[in-house]
Amino acid sequence: ESEGQVPSEPLMKSGSVKPNQIIPHTIIRAATFEAKSREAMIVMHVGNEYMAVGGLPTPLTIGPAKDISNWEKNWFVLVNMCIGVMLVMALYHFILFWIYREDRASLYFALLCSVLTVYSAALFMQLHYLLIPEPSVSSFVTSLYILFLGSYFAIALLFSFIRAIYPEEFPLLFSKAVWAIMLTFSGLCLLLGFPMAGYLNIPFFVVTILLLGLCNVYLLRARKNKRTG
């Protein structure tokens, strides 16, 4: 508020952060206040009880109230458009697979777009706006499961989709190995629960990078085979 004064009520809060109870809520919040001097001190109380690693999901943005409001509106519209595009792509490729049942690539891509639609809705908080008006521990943990399991299944579906396009260059063992690894991550996530499941992030990123590198090798081989005829 003003210099030398402490506000009696918090400017804003997302969830509830108390010493004996933490109810997280991941949602974009904006608050305005009048700074009567060139300097202002902002005190944040953050609870991280349900994530073993990590912190704020998005960085704190400070600026004029009008700019913050415009950014929030533009961000919300852009994210909704991206989610809508992925949903349309999923429906379109489901229809393609329904017409051409031998086209497995359309099925994998439709499933991939479906997973990414739900994942994005959880990540960019559209699910919270629509389905979770009040914060609760169960809703927050559910969104974490959606994000983690969505990541694992998205990677497996991505490589299955690529292999369906290049069946000769990608061995079947590669696709099966990817699914086995991602199902293992999914099982560990469900078994460990949160916050311990948060430690799966680091090995998941390492495995994903290795798989992408191997995938590029197969793609280069496919390009070479296509060029040499």
Side-chain angles (χ1 to χ4, degrees), residues 2 16 25 37 83 89-90 110 116 126 129-130 146 175 177 189 214:
S2 60
S16 175
H25 196 40
S37 65
I83 293 176
M89 292 174 64
L116 291 179
Q126 265 62 19
Y129 283 109
L130 298 175
I146 292 175
S175 179
C189 179
L214 186 57

Side-chain angles (χ1 to χ4, degrees), residues 31-46:
T32 59
F33 63 95
E34 182 181 356
K36 297 183 179 180
S37 65
R38 296 182 62 87
E39 296 182 355
M41 179 180 293
I42 299 176
V43 180
M44 299 183 63
H45 298 274
V46 181

Side-chain angles (χ1 to χ4, degrees), residues 6-7 10-14 17-18 25 27 29 31 33 40-48 55-62:
V6 178
L11 293 173
M12 70 174 177
K13 64 178 182 178
S14 182
V17 181
K18 298 178 182 179
H25 196 40
I27 193 169
R29 294 293 176 94
F33 63 95
M41 179 180 293
I42 299 176
V43 180
M44 299 183 63
H45 298 274
V46 181
N48 199 29
L56 289 175
T58 55
L60 179 66
T61 302
I62 301 176

Side-chain angles (χ1 to χ4, degrees), residues 97-145:
F97 177 71
W98 182 68
I99 297 174
Y100 307 103
R101 293 301 178 92
E102 69 281 358
D103 185 10
R104 303 298 293 272
S106 293
L107 174 62
Y108 290 131
F109 191 73
L111 292 173
L112 175 61
C113 290
S114 300
V115 170
L116 291 179
T117 298
V118 178
Y119 176 91
S120 300
L123 179 64
F124 297 113
M125 291 160 274
Q126 265 62 19
L127 287 181
H128 295 268
Y129 283 109
L130 298 175
L131 304 178
I132 312 174
E134 294 296 330
S136 66
V137 173
S138 60
S139 64
F140 181 77
V141 173
T142 299
S143 67
L144 290 180
Y145 278 119

Side-chain angles (χ1 to χ4, degrees), residues 158-160 162-163 169-181 210-216 218:
L158 173 62
F159 287 118
S160 296
I162 296 175
R163 186 190 179 277
E169 286 76 11
F170 281 76
L172 180 60
L173 181 62
F174 175 76
S175 179
K176 290 183 176 181
V178 172
W179 273 103
I181 293 172
L210 293 176
L211 291 175
L212 288 173
L214 186 57
C215 179
N216 285 330
Y218 289 133

Side-chain angles (χ1 to χ4, degrees), residues 36 48 52 68 79 131 139 151 174 187 204 217 227:
K36 297 183 179 180
N48 199 29
I68 298 297
V79 169
L131 304 178
S139 64
S151 300
F174 175 76
F204 171 69
V217 173
R227 184 172 61 246

